[in-house]
Amino acid sequence: MTEFDLGSAVLTLARSAIAEKLGLGALDAVGHARLDERSATFVTLKQAGGLRGCVGSLQAIRTLRDDVRANAVAAAFRDPRFAPLEASELARTSLEVSLLSAEEAIEAASERELLAQLRPGVDGVILEYGRHRATLLPQVWEHVSDPRDFLAALKHKAGLPEDFWSEGILIRRYAAITWKEPEPAPG
């Protein structure tokens, strides 16, 4: 089976999990050999091009099938930035599923060193400092193409000042394969 087949399977799983939770039907049966492998995913919901929910896992602790289902339901109903998705919204909501690679630490003694190592359009980045933690998926580069702005957005999301730097900051990167549903037609 191809990556396209996998993409079709995970998008179907995500939409079906949300529909099932909304009482709109039973889960569609989908099959793919990779669905039983441990994987980390993010599921993103969009409406009219804008974010409507995004929840994911950074570590592969569940099977791909279970991770996609859990993250789809969480993105639709438990993203604290949004009200729970209503049944009337599902038809105008498009889904994205991102399959994450394993994390890789980035060693940098300064922000300048870190910025030089970031790969725009490729890297998803995780920042940790004490109780502060945030990640931005690789597709965020589509909206924030400058590494300095990307890092500032990541710090802001983690609740840190944009000019913050410490030797104790931990930075990791990952790549992702992302599959997207087409945007629904307006109306």
Side-chain angles (χ1 to χ4, degrees), residues 70-129:
N71 290 334
V73 169
F77 304 105
R78 292 192 297 277
D79 185 327
R81 299 169 291 182
F82 301 95
L85 192 75
E86 295 183 16
S88 62
E89 295 180 86
L90 187 57
R92 67 177 191 272
T93 303
S94 63
L95 305 180
E96 295 180 6
V97 176
S98 297
L99 176 61
L100 279 53
S101 70
E103 302 170 3
E104 167 193 347
I106 300 177
E107 301 296 330
S110 68
E111 185 168 317
R112 178 177 284 186
E113 273 186 40
L114 172 61
L115 292 171
Q117 294 182 60
L118 292 180
R119 301 172 299 184
V122 175
D123 289 336
V125 181
I126 303 163
L127 176 151
E128 284 187 79
Y129 181 75

Side-chain angles (χ1 to χ4, degrees), residues 154-171:
L154 183 61
K155 289 177 188 178
H156 177 76
K157 187 174 179 184
L160 295 167
E162 291 182 7
D163 61 351
F164 177 82
W165 185 260
S166 167
E167 289 183 14
I169 202 166
L170 300 173
I171 304 288

